[in-house]
Structure formats: C-alpha cells, structure tokens
Amino acid sequence: MDVQKIRKDFPILQREVNGHPLVYFDNAATSQTPLQVIDVIADYYKKYNANIHRGVHTLSQEATDAYEAARQKIQKHFNAAHAHEIIFTSGTTHSINIVSNGYEQLLVPGDELIVSALEHHSNIVPWQMLCEKSGAVLKVIPMNEGGVLLMEEYDKLLSEKTKLVFVNHVSNALGTVNPIAEIIEKAHAVGAEVLIDGAQSAPHIQADVQALGVDYYVTSAHKLCGPTGIGMLYGKASALNRLPPYQGGGEMIAEVTFEKTTYAGLPHKFEAGTPNIAGGIAFGAALDYINSIGMTEIAQYEAELLAYATASLLKIPGVKIYGVAPEKTAVISFNVQGIHPYDIGSILDKMGIAVRTGHHCAQPIMDYYHIPGTVRASLSFYNTYEEIDRMLEALKKAIQMLQ
Ligand code: C6P
C-alpha cells in the first residue's frame, strides 16, 4: 500500500488547521472522502441529475441505472444473495429504526431482546422505544474491564423467549471486535433473529452476510469514504418481508385508492419518497475506491498503525487505554490521569490534531468505567506513523500545560 499516493486522493488531508498540517484521527466519527467519490457526486449534478424510477426521459433513466448499479455494487461487496435485499437508508440509525419499528408487530409482552454492553446509542434507544410500545424486555450482555463481552453470560440470557439479538461488530468507543459469528449461531439455535450494526466494522473488516447467515446488517457510507446521509439496511428477503413498511409515500406502493393501499415489493417497500440519489451512487463509488486498495491490505496496515500507536502511548506516564481486547480495530480510547478528556482534545486541536472527546454516544460504556468520557483517536488507512508521532508530541505538550 502506497500511503503517500493514497493521501493525494484526499484533498482535505493537505489543509492546515490552526497553522499546523491537519492530522485527522476522527475517522470513527466520519471518514474523509477521496476525489474519486467527490467527482462522482459532482458528475451526477453536472450531467444527469433527475429523479429515479419515475421518468421515461434519458436523464431519469441514466440516474436510475447508476443508482441501481450502486445497489448491485453494495450487494456484491457484502455478498448478499439478491440486490433487492439491500435497502438504501440515510444511515445506520435509520436502518436500525426501520427494523425496530417493524418489529413491534412481531412481539408480544414478555418477549426478550438482547443487546450488548458495548453499543452506540443508535443500537440501544430505538429498542428501548420498542420495548415501551410492545412490552418486550431488554437484556444486556455484560462486558469485562478489557472491553470484551462475557459470552458465558450471553449463553445464560438466551432462551426460547429471545426474539432478536442486536450487537455491533465493532465498538465505536473501544474498538473491540465482537465474536459475531458465534453470537449469530447461538441466537439462531434458539430461533432468534440477529441484527449486526456494522457502522464501525464495514470500513475495516470484510463482512459476508451470507457466510455469517445474519438476518440484518446495517452500516453508513460516511464511515467508509462515502458521503453522509446515505447508508444501507441489508436484510434476508424472508426477514424483510415479515416487516411492515417504515414510512408511507411515493414509490413504496403497488396500488393506492382511498379505500386501500398495497405495498411494493423489496426494496421499494422501505424506500418511500425521493431518495438521496447522488449519495447512493457515491456509496457505490466509495466501495469501488476501498476495493481498489483492498480490504485485506487496509486491515493489515491499520493493525500495524494500532500496534505502534498503542505501544507509544503507553510509554507516556499517566495514560490509561480503555478497551484492550485481543481483537481490535484501530481505535484508541484513552485518558490521562487527572486531566479531563475535553481539555486534551481542545489543546490537540490547537496543534492541528482532530480527535473525538466525550462519551462517543456510548454512555453505558463510560458509566461502566465511571468516567465522563475519553479521548478517542481513530485511525484510517490514509494515516501515517509520522502523524501518530505528531499526536504523541502534542499530547506530551498538552500534559505539561495541564498538569
Ligand atoms: N458513530 C462515532 O463517532 P449514523 O450516525 O447513523 O451514521 O451512525 C450511528 C452509529 C451506529 N453504530 C455505531 C457503532 C456507530 O459508531 C455509529 C456512529 C460515530 O462513533 C458518530 S456518533
């Protein structure tokens, strides 16, 4: 992997922040966008901006073809059996809400849902809302001090009452890679379905939805070099067909009269209204870009960056890293003894270094550690060892100033 060549694809990486060259270590919040994707968006608006699935005119057909080609790219990338099992959504949050909303009619009071202690609020709150409406009960797989799920506790939670298990593949706050193959297999053994939140894994780990046998897999394009406002819900056709539509409107119908409406088949049933057309096409382009580099190459390089950054950080007195699972993506959540994470983040920013501070929309994890938040450096394949060194130097200065 030629990282210097790759970096030229990302104009934003050439800019300065507060008089320093930008070091962008907030990739878990959103990744940067390469020219190859930016150009696809500009091309759409310059050459064939039109509504899709509606027009007989040439522009509409070109836009429809590009949008549906993107759906097929996504299908191929995640190895879904059919393109109609890929639903375009506005992102992971929207995808989860489609399933949680639809599940209301599949549950009876006393049914159980299982979540993990390592979740983002997007994979907690919609299910709590569902429990309130349906009378279902939410059970939590606990974690240990290292940020690893206690699988023996998961075994104890599973029963014939379990209807759905939803966990992330990778924790956004700690980087832990969860054993999703085992989680899925055990859930299926008691007849429960599984939703995997792939928001943090899709950029780093190739997911094969058929090999996993997962019922639903969701992610956001902006985590993998695509634009914001677009994502996907993969669902097995049999699973999606059980769910009612999430929103009513144009394009999701088969026939409408004032007496009754019948719904379109997959994927349109879940795609009411004019979608984010440029975003969908750009999602496909983003996958093309990532695949041109190679998921395996990306994972290997990021693992090396993680090892280097972790070892270097631990040499700084007072640093504590949260999340030390043996299997991790390149996310380092840390604190420095006696210093608030927000203060470190602010000083790093003054030196051109972008990290996220706070609870990372994962408050239960912070509560577990009894901390207000962490400093989170999340790395990507376009980051370098030199950038890690710059963060470490800046961090040492910040500690001097704050202690
Ligand atoms: N996490 C972070 O800084 P949306 O916002 O819908 O694209 O993704 C939500 C989401 C769901 N699950 C996980 C595991 C996530 O990490 C995220 C987004 C960002 O960690 C922004 S809060």
Side-chain angles (χ1 to χ4, degrees), residues 28-29 91-93 120 122 172 197 199-200 220 222-223 356 361 376:
T92 303
T93 305
H120 185 279
S122 293
N172 71 314
D197 172 352
Q200 295 295 338
S220 302
H222 71 95
K223 307 281 193 201
R356 184 170 171 186
C361 301
R376 184 186 69 180

Side-chain angles (χ1 to χ4, degrees), residues 2 39 81 125 152 175 177 201 209 216 228 234 293 301 377 400:
D2 184 345
D39 288 347
V125 182
E152 62 281 10
V177 180
S201 54
V209 292
Y216 306 100
T228 52
Y234 157 79
I293 297 170
Y301 177 64
Q400 271 173 9

Side-chain angles (χ1 to χ4, degrees), residues 293-357:
I293 297 170
M295 291 294 290
T296 315
E297 287 75 5
I298 286 174
Q300 192 182 329
Y301 177 64
E302 289 177 348
E304 287 162 15
L305 285 182
L306 173 69
Y308 177 73
T310 304
S312 314
L313 256 178
L314 287 174
K315 287 186 193 138
I316 301 179
V319 167
K320 176 175 164 102
I321 293 180
Y322 297 89
V324 292
E327 263 208 84
K328 270 185 73 170
T329 58
V331 168
I332 311 179
S333 241
F334 66 93
N335 274 332
V336 182
Q337 201 176 13
I339 305 179
H340 197 282
Y342 176 82
D343 294 335
I344 291 180
S346 303
I347 293 183
L348 292 185
D349 177 59
K350 294 280 172 292
M351 297 188 244
I353 297 158
V355 291
R356 184 170 171 186
T357 64

Side-chain angles (χ1 to χ4, degrees), residues 103-113 130-139 159-163:
Y103 240 79
E104 188 184 348
Q105 73 174 39
L106 302 180
L107 297 175
V108 294
D111 279 346
E112 293 181 358
L113 310 176
L130 171 64
C131 287
E132 272 175 32
K133 286 188 279 184
S134 66
V137 181
L138 192 61
K139 304 267 170 174
S159 76
E160 73 287 351
K161 284 191 194 160
T162 313
K163 293 293 173 283

Side-chain angles (χ1 to χ4, degrees), residues 201-223:
S201 54
H204 313 286
I205 304 170
Q206 182 76 56
D208 178 330
V209 292
Q210 287 191 83
L212 286 167
V214 69
D215 303 284
Y216 306 100
Y217 180 95
V218 298
T219 196
S220 302
H222 71 95
K223 307 281 193 201

Side-chain angles (χ1 to χ4, degrees), residues 18 24 65 99 111 144 158 273 305 349:
N18 295 322
Y24 187 76
D65 289 348
V99 181
D111 279 346
N144 68 15
L158 285 165
L305 285 182
D349 177 59

